[in-house]
Amino acid sequence: MFAPIWDVAHALRGAKAFNYAPEPRQMAETKPPADVNYTFSEAELDQLMAYGELRAHQEGELLVSPGDHQADCLVTLSGETHIFVDSAEGKHRRGYMERGQFAGDISVLTGQASLAWVTMGKAGELLHIPYARLQRLLVENSQLSDAFVRTFTARRAFALSSKLGAVIVIGTPYDRSLFSIRDFLTRHSVPHTWLDPDTDPLTQPIMDAKSLASEDLPAVVLSSAQMMCRPTVNELAESLGFDLLPDGASADVIVVGAGPAGLASAVYAGSEGLSVLALDAEGPGGQAGTSSKIENYLGFPTGISGRELADRASVQAQKFGVRIAAPARAESLEMTGSGEYCLRTRDGRALKAKAVVIATGAQYRRLPIERLEDFEGRGVYYGASSLEAQLCSGSRVAIVGAGNSAGQGAVYLSQTAEAVHVIYRRDNIRDTMSEYLVRRLEETPNIHLHPGSQITALHGKDQDGDSELRLTGATLEESGASNCLDTPFVFLFIGAAPFTNWLPDTLRRDEKGFVKTGASLGNLDLVRAGWALERLPTTFETSLPRVYAVGDVRAASVKRVASAVGEGSVVVSDVHRALNELAETQTTD
């Protein structure tokens, strides 16, 4: 549901509607850090000329609006370009660009919707580099590419940290739809501001201006020109341009899943010159994307968050021309008469490729207790990101699980929660959790370990007489006794089940549903799958030729980020050989 909201901006600022004329420089916000800007040298500008077109613009001219997809990359040659964002507090000018500097953030690189206004602050000339030519530049010129990618990435990081989100989300904290929206925006690193209508005074002017009632929430303000009421995640993704794959799109390789393994496959395949389509049911990162801090990943001695790792990898993949669609859920896979594979998505699109890499990972299992689904998104969660940390600040928290993900979540949430209770069935947590994490748990005063324990029931009530159900506590069985643990938040990290039910029967799996590859495939598996090649499947190849499985979805894989990245990168050499083999066969025929 969309509606213009110029009057919302008016209500927030008590001033005129958005004015494209430049403001005096002394009124500009504090200058952003130096790493969010870059000034091309005269020699570099000469190189850029081959990719763009010179255009003259008048003062006050609108160049880019929020919501514009595949906007030109704008390099200022004379005059000034000014960048504005709308926020809950009103219009903010983020900065201005002079000769040799360029506007935009990561959306310019990806082709996704712009989150800012770009106007001509002072008349002059700009170099317009169209989206398609920018993609070519990123591959052809490493020096210019590095400048663009580094600066675009730093600007998005600055926007996320500045708490002036260009996207405004309005809704009550225990609304499951609100959580889904915010989770989606967080997974895609979209800077946004959340306003609680019960506590935030900035909310009411917006609701009054648009005659919004509580039943219209959650609402998403994308700019001062566009608002969505009760949007689905798919509708929001479409508006923001997170899925640019048309029906019938084709490539050398389709990568299904954008966790560490899938992103590694996409990066290496793209860098080797293969055309790549990548899709994910939710967003880049997979389970690793919800990790607050990965401390044992090689090359990051102080650790790195799963979200940051996923963001860097997805930008890296798109730099090499990989087209990523999310959310886009795979529905089926079949071989066509021409020997290609056709992957169909749940929304009905058919995508074709000569090879497929399955990197769909696994999802955390659910507790076998009553009413679990009722509390999902209303107190029960499956990841501990900054979004969840904000929700449970000052509260008691329960974490169920004894793996590294549970440990990372406990350490992270302990920074904001009053107390964190780690609940697990086994007697010794060191059997399943890395030693450095166990020591961290033992040394953190507000973390409490509960070995030999389990949650057997969840309890809740309507919030303030509202119809919204929320979690209030859980029954904890420990040392043969049952007690009530008063907590509004339970996080589940209790093992994983693979995403493989969409695959054909000819793609052989083990008894738990994980995909068999290479040496784990027996003769009977190959016979039942109809394997017709003279050679045997390679290390990561499944029972279907040129279909591979890497990462957590693969049978007998090591469930670690580093191993997933390793498998995802190594498999590309097998893909290359198989595609060459296919080409030779087709030439002979």
Side-chain angles (χ1 to χ4, degrees):
M1 218 178 130
F2 303 90
I5 59 161
W6 295 99
D7 46 343
V8 172
H10 177 89
L12 285 173
R13 293 190 293 268
K16 296 179 180 178
F18 195 94
N19 184 352
Y20 297 120
E23 299 175 345
R25 182 162 302 164
Q26 60 266 26
M27 295 180 65
E29 271 56 335
T30 302
K31 193 171 183 63
D35 64 349
V36 305
N37 213 346
Y38 183 87
T39 302
F40 287 115
S41 66
E42 295 303 314
E44 289 172 326
L45 287 175
D46 288 342
Q47 295 179 60
L48 283 170
M49 293 298 179
Y51 295 95
E53 174 185 329
L54 283 176
R55 297 184 198 170
H57 295 279
Q58 298 302 310
E59 182 175 325
E61 189 174 343
L62 177 62
L63 304 169
V64 178
S65 298
D68 287 354
H69 296 114
Q70 298 189 0
D72 290 351
C73 178
L74 303 175
V75 182
T76 303
L77 300 179
S78 62
E80 289 181 0
T81 52
H82 289 199
I83 293 85
F84 298 88
V85 294
D86 286 308
S87 72
E89 291 80 15
K91 178 186 62 174
H92 291 264
R93 185 170 67 179
R94 282 290 174 85
Y96 52 89
M97 301 297 152
E98 300 175 306
R99 179 172 175 79
Q101 300 174 343
F102 53 94
D105 73 349
I106 203 68
S107 61
V108 175
L109 185 150
T110 62
Q112 295 163 359
S114 171
L115 299 178
W117 311 85
V118 182
T119 71
M120 205 67 192
K122 290 183 179 179
E125 283 191 321
L126 303 181
L127 180 66
H128 285 249
I129 304 177
Y131 173 73
R133 292 187 189 177
L134 180 64
Q135 299 304 301
R136 183 161 60 87
L137 178 155
L138 294 173
V139 175
E140 294 178 354
N141 191 312
S142 61
Q143 179 183 351
L144 299 178
S145 173
D146 289 347
F148 278 120
V149 172
R150 183 172 57 249
T151 306
F152 285 149
T153 304
R155 286 175 180 171
R156 179 56 63 92
F158 175 72
L160 287 166
S161 65
S162 66
K163 299 181 181 179
L164 286 175
V167 174
I168 303 168
V169 183
I170 306 170
T172 55
Y174 293 99
D175 185 328
R176 196 182 324 207
S177 297
L178 173 80
F179 181 82
S180 296
I181 289 169
R182 294 196 66 210
D183 183 55
F184 167 79
L185 294 173
T186 300
R187 284 178 179 272
H188 288 271
S189 297
V190 177
H192 66 280
T193 300
W194 166 47
L195 299 179
D196 183 346
D198 297 327
T199 61
D200 200 307
L202 290 173
T203 310
Q204 201 57 49
I206 299 177
M207 297 185 67
D208 290 344
K210 294 309 300 174
S211 301
L212 288 174
S214 58
E215 55 266 25
D216 297 317
L217 302 180
V220 179
V221 181
L222 295 177
S223 71
S224 53
Q226 190 180 50
M227 183 172 68
M228 306 177 74
C229 293
R230 302 184 305 278
T232 65
V233 167
N234 285 337
E235 289 171 343
L236 191 55
E238 182 178 356
S239 293
L240 291 171
F242 287 126
D243 186 350
L244 302 177
L245 291 184
D247 184 24
S250 62
D252 294 322
V253 186
I254 292 177
V255 178
V256 190
L263 287 171
S265 296
V267 166
Y268 277 83
S271 68
E272 292 294 325
L274 298 176
S275 58
V276 184
L277 306 180
L279 56 149
D280 194 276
E282 295 180 343
Q287 278 190 35
T290 65
S291 295
S292 55
K293 196 172 188 180
I294 304 170
E295 294 191 66
N296 57 356
Y297 189 61
L298 187 67
F300 294 91
T302 59
I304 184 172
S305 73
R307 180 76 274 129
E308 186 180 2
L309 185 64
D311 287 346
R312 292 185 181 190
S314 59
V315 169
Q316 192 174 14
Q318 290 173 93
K319 168 186 171 180
F320 289 118
V322 176
R323 289 180 284 170
I324 299 178
R329 186 177 293 272
E331 185 75 8
S332 65
L333 179 69
E334 60 186 4
M335 183 181 282
T336 67
S338 62
E340 287 188 322
Y341 285 96
C342 178
L343 185 146
R344 298 186 185 278
T345 61
R346 181 164 293 182
D347 59 14
R349 284 175 290 178
L351 310 175
K352 294 183 179 180
K354 300 169 186 175
V356 177
V357 176
I358 301 166
T360 48
Q363 64 177 344
Y364 288 112
R365 296 183 187 276
R366 291 174 166 178
L367 280 175
I369 56 179
E370 293 183 4
R371 302 188 70 194
L372 177 67
E373 291 186 10
D374 293 342
F375 292 107
E376 289 177 334
R378 295 170 176 165
V380 173
Y381 305 97
Y382 295 88
S385 67
S386 58
L387 173 58
E388 288 83 8
Q390 181 184 10
L391 285 174
C392 65
S393 178
S395 300
R396 302 175 75 186
V397 172
I399 288 184
V400 183
N404 278 4
S405 295
Q408 290 162 353
V411 171
Y412 181 60
L413 294 177
S414 69
Q415 300 172 36
T416 57
E418 175 191 332
V420 177
H421 298 268
V422 183
I423 299 162
Y424 48 97
R425 290 186 176 185
R426 62 182 64 247
D427 294 326
N428 190 352
I429 198 171
R430 284 179 165 84
D431 293 342
T432 53
M433 188 179 292
S434 296
E435 181 63 24
Y436 82 93
L437 274 173
V438 177
R439 291 199 303 269
R440 195 71 57 81
L441 297 183
E442 293 174 340
E443 294 167 359
T444 304
N446 64 333
I447 293 180
H448 309 282
L449 303 182
H450 298 266
S453 62
Q454 61 180 321
I455 286 179
T456 57
L458 299 173
H459 314 292
K461 66 177 182 180
D462 292 344
Q463 176 69 4
D464 298 327
D466 201 313
S467 60
E468 285 294 337
L469 182 69
R470 61 157 293 182
L471 185 72
T472 58
T475 298
L476 177 64
E477 284 195 2
E478 185 175 14
S479 302
S482 293
N483 299 293
C484 184
L485 180 64
D486 293 329
T487 174
F489 300 100
V490 171
F491 294 83
L492 304 181
F493 301 93
I494 53 174
F499 285 115
T500 56
N501 56 1
W502 59 279
L503 295 167
D505 292 339
T506 48
L507 195 144
R508 307 301 294 169
R509 284 151 277 178
D510 65 15
E511 65 278 3
K512 294 182 178 180
F514 292 92
V515 177
K516 291 183 177 182
T517 61
S520 68
L521 288 163
N523 290 334
L524 185 57
D525 288 317
L526 297 179
V527 169
R528 288 178 174 174
W531 184 270
L533 299 182
E534 293 183 3
R535 64 170 178 82
L536 292 174
T538 54
T539 303
F540 301 109
E541 197 168 17
T542 70
S543 54
L544 296 180
R546 304 186 312 284
V547 177
Y548 305 85
V550 293
D552 289 2
V553 75
R554 190 176 69 85
S557 66
V558 178
K559 306 301 188 281
R560 289 288 187 269
V561 172
S563 61
V565 171
E567 292 184 11
S569 57
V570 170
V571 74
V572 175
S573 60
D574 288 349
V575 173
H576 257 301
R577 284 194 294 270
L579 292 181
N580 290 335
E581 176 185 82
L582 177 64
E584 291 174 3
T585 302
Q586 292 174 337
T587 301
T588 303
D589 294 343

